[in-house]
Amino acid sequence: MSSSNAPASGRDPVPNRIHARPVPRPGRLVAAAVVLVLAAMVANALITNDNFRWDIVWLYLRDVVVLRGVLWTLILTFASMAIAVALAVTLAMMRRSDNPVMRWVSWVYIWFFRGTPIYTQLIFWGLIAVLYPRLSLGIPFGPEFFTFRTDDVITAFWAALLGLALNEAAYLAEIVRAGLTSVDPGQTEAAKALGMKDGKIMRRVVLPQAMRVIVPPTGNETISMLKTTSLVVAVPFTLELTYATSAIGNRNFLPIPLLVIAALWYLLITSILMVGQHYLEQYYGRGFGTVTRRRSGGKGPGGGRQGAIAAAGTVRQDVNREVTP
């Protein structure tokens, strides 16, 4: 005889169970269909249009002049960003300084370089030898110790590099300052209570936490710098990618396929930079809502701060295991 507690055959054992069904959303299907149709139209317009001259695109895509332009573009991008980051950290710390002179100098620098167009700045850097034919080191309004010609020191490459780096530092300084401000002041106070020096506090406590805020916009600025290098023709610096492809297009009277080549190379480099930015954000975002897997062979993910603590292996996987009945 079956138990009296067993449910009747064919009946739901849970009384008044709610059988929920997803709300129909026909608008999503319509929107997806419209987007797919538009994407197909764009693809058709690109592939079937003979004016793009895809044969010429493939022919010059690996041309030595184009590859040299890619190399110089990468050099300008990463070198200018390295200088800009170092200068931006200095400017951000000056903005936070108790010294009014430091704060004023930093503010004026950021105000000037953010307030004038980068193209105008590059033109002035290209004309630096006209403005100052000779440069010297010495005492202001006093004797000069070293004198040299500006053309011999600031070539077109260095003018382009300095112009890009000094302009970018003004934007990065505000990003770094925002990141430093995002760190709880209690972190600094606790570190001082332990006897740590200001420099060590900045390196070991503040900056590692601020990087979570600094990295995403800095990655965007790096991608923007990659494309801003196309403006160094104002110096003029004629070895970067845009000028190199434009020169080839002007010589063979086929500007469109050469511009497509430049666009393809920029897209490829930007895609690689975006992947790098993604992993950097994951690295510096550990413990702040990102998903982290346990190192000890765990099969389940742990999220946020608790996931990061579990992944560190410094606590038991189940801290209540010994006291929970």
Side-chain angles (χ1 to χ4, degrees):
M1 181 179 292
S2 61
S3 174
S4 60
N5 295 330
S9 176
R11 298 182 61 184
D12 193 340
V14 179
N16 301 323
R17 184 195 299 269
I18 298 176
H19 298 279
R21 292 182 298 174
V23 178
R25 300 181 184 274
R28 291 184 178 180
L29 297 177
V30 173
V34 171
V35 171
L36 288 176
V37 170
L38 292 176
M41 292 172 62
V42 171
N44 178 74
L46 291 175
I47 296 174
T48 61
N49 191 340
D50 295 334
N51 293 326
F52 283 104
R53 295 297 304 272
W54 294 107
D55 56 331
I56 300 297
V57 171
W58 177 250
L59 177 63
Y60 283 95
L61 188 63
R62 299 162 297 171
D63 186 79
V64 62
V65 177
V66 174
L67 294 179
R68 185 181 63 182
V70 172
L71 176 62
W72 279 108
T73 296
L74 292 175
I75 291 174
L76 282 173
T77 300
F78 291 112
S80 59
M81 286 301 297
I83 297 173
V85 167
L87 186 55
V89 173
T90 303
L91 290 170
M93 296 177 66
M94 290 171 63
R95 285 291 300 272
R96 294 163 52 91
S97 174
D98 295 330
N99 190 327
V101 176
M102 293 293 185
R103 292 199 306 269
W104 182 81
V105 170
S106 176
W107 184 88
V108 170
Y109 180 97
I110 294 172
W111 165 77
F112 176 79
F113 281 98
R114 289 176 67 188
T116 54
I118 177 61
Y119 192 80
T120 303
Q121 296 175 29
L122 289 172
I123 292 176
F124 272 98
W125 278 105
L127 298 174
I128 189 68
V130 177
L131 296 172
Y132 300 98
R134 49 187 291 273
L135 299 175
S136 62
L137 295 176
I139 300 175
F141 306 103
E144 299 176 348
F145 301 139
F146 302 99
T147 303
F148 40 85
R149 287 178 51 83
T150 305
D151 287 335
D152 298 335
V153 177
I154 304 180
T155 60
F157 169 76
W158 288 107
L161 180 64
L162 290 175
L164 294 173
L166 295 179
N167 177 79
E168 185 61 32
Y171 294 90
L172 289 180
E174 292 298 282
I175 294 174
V176 173
R177 185 174 67 88
L180 297 179
T181 306
S182 69
V183 179
D184 190 343
Q187 301 281 335
T188 302
E189 296 172 1
K192 288 183 177 180
L194 294 175
M196 296 178 66
K197 301 296 183 181
D198 290 342
K200 191 172 184 180
I201 293 174
M202 181 62 65
R203 296 192 309 270
R204 303 293 298 274
V205 178
V206 178
L207 273 179
Q209 299 182 70
M211 290 299 288
R212 179 177 62 92
V213 178
I214 294 173
V215 166
T218 302
N220 292 335
E221 290 295 319
T222 304
I223 293 173
S224 178
M225 174 62 71
L226 174 70
K227 295 172 288 186
T228 305
T229 55
S230 62
L231 299 178
V232 296
V233 66
V235 171
F237 183 74
T238 59
L239 296 178
E240 56 85 31
L241 178 59
T242 299
Y243 188 91
T245 53
S246 298
I248 297 175
N250 293 333
R251 286 197 302 267
N252 58 17
F253 301 103
L254 293 171
I256 292 179
L258 271 300
L259 289 176
V260 171
I261 290 173
L264 291 176
W265 274 111
Y266 281 123
L267 284 172
L268 175 61
I269 301 171
T270 299
S271 301
I272 296 173
L273 292 178
M274 290 175 64
V275 172
Q277 178 184 352
H278 169 73
Y279 284 106
L280 278 177
E281 289 181 14
Q282 278 194 336
Y283 177 79
Y284 286 108
R286 293 174 301 173
F288 291 93
T290 57
V291 176
T292 307
R293 292 193 177 274
R294 297 180 178 90
R295 292 180 181 176
S296 58
K299 298 181 180 179
R305 294 175 181 269
Q306 296 303 322
I309 293 173
T314 56
V315 297
R316 297 185 180 92
Q317 295 293 339
D318 186 0
V319 295
N320 297 320
R321 180 173 54 189
E322 297 179 357
V323 297
T324 302

